[in-house]
């Protein structure tokens, strides 16, 4: 688990690519500049870890493209101390970026293999999310709600109602909706019953799967 100056140099180049693609939030750029992405993927991909691309991880899943992580995180408008729910822990990369931003992170993963592996790995790296849950993201985490922000990192065929209801008034939900490609969608909760919805372009994600049990 080494993070060398060569890795750090490549990371600075990646951050510049994100700036060139329109990411402006300094704190988000700094957070991505701090997370050793090469350690979140199989060592056979190490040389490519700082390309702006998604890569396969365990259980047929992917680590999201850095631009996508940056775009979603920027939309969340994270403040230090925010309570944030992430759906789709996956490699833990997005989780680590949110931890870097000083958020109190709750994250749900439905693949047991990934859940176990990532939980250990984040601890090894020194990241301390509040709670990693093995379960179904469609349900959210009612016992820890309401959340300031919710981020979904898999493509949702529809917007799960529990996620909207677990958002604080003033809170933000960022979720890719639809079936390949998905439309990145932002919901801002304006009152108990009112949500402002904004659509922000096409992205491609692995599907948010519904549990059969
Ligand atoms: N944030 C991750 C992205 C991983 S890809 C990263 O940065 O690496 C999306 C993840 O969502 C996969 O790990 C997949 O197993 C998980 N997922 C899919 N459906 C889910 C569901 N219903 N509940 C929780 N996680 C789910």
């Amino acid at each position: 688990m080494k993070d060398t100056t060569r890795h750090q140099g490549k990371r600075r180049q990646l951050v510049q690519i994100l700036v060139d693609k329109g990411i402006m939030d300094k704190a988000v750029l700094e957070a991505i500049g701090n997370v050793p992405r090469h350690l979140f993927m199989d060592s056979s991909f190490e040389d490519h870890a700082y390309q702006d691309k998604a890569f396969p991880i365990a259980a047929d899943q992917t680590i999201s493209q850095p631009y996508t992580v940056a775009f979603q995180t920027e939309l969340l408008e994270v403040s230090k101390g925010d309570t944030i729910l992430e759906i789709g822990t996956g490699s833990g990369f997005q989780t680590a970026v949110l931890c870097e931003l000083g958020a109190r992170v709750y994250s749900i993963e439905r693949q047991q293999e990934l859940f176990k592996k990532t939980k250990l790995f984040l601890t090894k790296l020194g990241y301390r999310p509040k709670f990693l849950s093995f379960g179904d993201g469609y349900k959210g985490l009612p016992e820890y709600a309401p959340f300031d922000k919710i981020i979904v990192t898999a493509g949702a065929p529809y917007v799960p109602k529990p996620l909207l209801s677990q958002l604080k008034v003033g809170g933000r939900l960022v979720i890719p909706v639809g079936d390949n490609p998905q439309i990145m969608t932002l919901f801002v909760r304006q009152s108990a019953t009112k949500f402002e919805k904004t659509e922000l372009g096409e992205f491609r994600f692995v599907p948010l799967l519904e549990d059969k049990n």
Side-chain angles (χ1 to χ4, degrees), residues 57 61-64 86-94 108-111 114 135-138 153-154 206-209:
I57 53 174
Q61 302 304 319
T62 55
I63 177 169
S64 298
E86 174 192 23
I87 311 299
T89 317
S91 69
F93 182 75
Q94 173 75 66
I108 311 177
E109 173 57 54
R110 72 180 287 285
Q111 296 276 357
L114 278 173
D136 180 10
Y138 275 88
T153 69
V206 295
L208 185 71
L209 297 175

Side-chain angles (χ1 to χ4, degrees), residues 5-19:
T5 49
R6 186 176 63 91
H7 293 118
Q8 288 156 19
K10 284 190 175 184
R11 217 141 63 224
R12 277 194 294 278
Q13 288 172 12
L14 171 63
V15 167
Q16 189 53 48
I17 291 171
L18 299 177
V19 171

Side-chain angles (χ1 to χ4, degrees), residues 12-159:
R12 277 194 294 278
Q13 288 172 12
L14 171 63
V15 167
Q16 189 53 48
I17 291 171
L18 299 177
V19 171
D20 294 344
K21 289 187 176 177
I23 302 299
M24 284 182 297
D25 186 323
K26 289 249 161 57
V28 171
L29 292 166
E30 198 183 313
I32 291 178
N34 283 340
V35 180
R37 187 173 189 252
H38 64 286
L39 300 177
F40 288 73
M41 51 180 74
D42 193 276
S43 55
S44 56
F45 295 118
E46 186 178 330
D47 285 346
H48 308 288
Y50 295 104
Q51 294 175 5
D52 188 23
K53 285 187 184 156
F55 283 100
I57 53 174
D60 284 334
Q61 302 304 319
T62 55
I63 177 169
S64 298
Q65 183 182 344
Y67 175 73
T68 305
V69 173
F71 190 84
Q72 287 196 281
T73 311
E74 190 167 69
L75 282 176
L76 282 181
E77 297 186 354
V78 179
S79 300
K80 232 186 180 139
D82 273 356
T83 301
I84 303 187
L85 173 64
E86 174 192 23
I87 311 299
T89 317
S91 69
F93 182 75
Q94 173 75 66
T95 318
V97 169
L98 295 172
C99 288
E100 287 277 349
L101 288 165
R104 301 147 67 87
V105 188
Y106 297 76
S107 185
I108 311 177
E109 173 57 54
R110 72 180 287 285
Q111 296 276 357
Q112 189 156 33
E113 178 189 357
L114 278 173
F115 164 73
K116 283 190 179 156
K117 192 172 155 194
T118 299
K119 189 172 176 174
L120 260 174
F121 172 70
L122 284 172
T123 309
K124 257 195 211 156
L125 274 191
Y127 289 110
R128 300 270 178 276
K130 278 273 163 196
F131 183 56
L132 297 179
S133 166
F134 171 55
D136 180 10
Y138 275 88
K139 301 189 177 79
L141 279 179
E143 59 275 43
Y144 295 100
F147 298 97
D148 295 299
K149 317 277 161 70
I150 300 178
I151 175 172
V152 180
T153 69
Y158 60 90
V159 181

